[in-house]
Amino acid sequence: IRNNQNREKGNLIHFCLSKINYKWDVEMAINQLINLGLIQPNEPEQFRNMIEKVVNHPVLEEYFSSKYELRLETEILMPNGNSLRPDRIMIEKNKAHIIDYKTGDQNDSHMIQIKTYAQILGLMGYEIEKLFLVYITAINIDILEVKTDNSI
């Protein structure tokens, strides 16, 4: 049951972050969770704290500013018919940065996944600048900057 609760909470955090373009959108996203009945009236503060740790983190906060054109949860169709859905792509001219949120334990598959996103965006003509895996737990935010493969 505890594992299911953690997964459900992780999905809610992920959903909330998908509604945030800029850091001033946090309150609107939390209210949306409440209005949809996804969180209880006594839970907003806990979610707000976790989300604000992400959007105000010194490494990430610039990516929640109006400096970038954003693609949130945008489906990318691949030549083989499969599709990818990166959590957050920030674009400035032809340069792209990618953030992928995770609420479970670190896993090598996450690294493969974000590098695949970068490879496909590279094939679409974007110069890949930075890749971030953001691991979110109830008490901490861990950010892993993934090295880009400049041979893309």
Side-chain angles (χ1 to χ4, degrees), residues 55-103:
V55 302
N56 293 316
H57 192 284
V59 172
L60 300 177
E61 68 181 340
E62 85 165 272
Y63 301 112
F64 289 90
S65 71
S66 56
K67 173 180 177 180
Y68 297 97
E69 182 182 327
L70 302 173
R71 301 283 185 273
L72 305 179
E73 299 279 344
T74 301
E75 189 171 32
I76 300 171
L77 203 54
M78 295 178 21
N80 64 8
N82 291 337
S83 63
L84 301 173
R85 192 182 300 264
D87 292 334
R88 185 177 188 89
I89 302 171
M90 295 76 53
I91 299 167
E92 184 180 30
K93 297 187 170 93
N94 75 323
K95 297 176 192 262
H97 308 259
I98 305 169
I99 293 177
D100 209 44
Y101 307 113
K102 302 297 180 189
T103 53

Side-chain angles (χ1 to χ4, degrees), residues 50-51 53-54 57 60 134-137 139-143:
M50 282 189 275
I51 300 300
K53 282 181 186 176
V54 175
H57 192 284
L60 300 177
V134 179
Y135 291 91
I136 304 165
T137 68
I139 51 173
N140 204 13
I141 305 295
D142 288 324
I143 299 168

Side-chain angles (χ1 to χ4, degrees), residues 9-21:
K9 187 173 275 188
N11 288 341
L12 288 175
I13 291 167
H14 206 275
F15 176 77
C16 190
L17 284 164
S18 77
K19 303 299 178 195
I20 297 173
N21 290 316

Side-chain angles (χ1 to χ4, degrees), residues 87-125:
D87 292 334
R88 185 177 188 89
I89 302 171
M90 295 76 53
I91 299 167
E92 184 180 30
K93 297 187 170 93
N94 75 323
K95 297 176 192 262
H97 308 259
I98 305 169
I99 293 177
D100 209 44
Y101 307 113
K102 302 297 180 189
T103 53
D105 294 329
Q106 291 190 20
N107 187 311
D108 289 344
S109 67
H110 302 156
M111 194 86 76
I112 293 166
Q113 181 183 36
I114 199 165
K115 285 184 174 189
T116 301
Y117 295 160
Q119 184 178 23
I120 295 301
L121 287 174
L123 292 172
M124 293 169 66

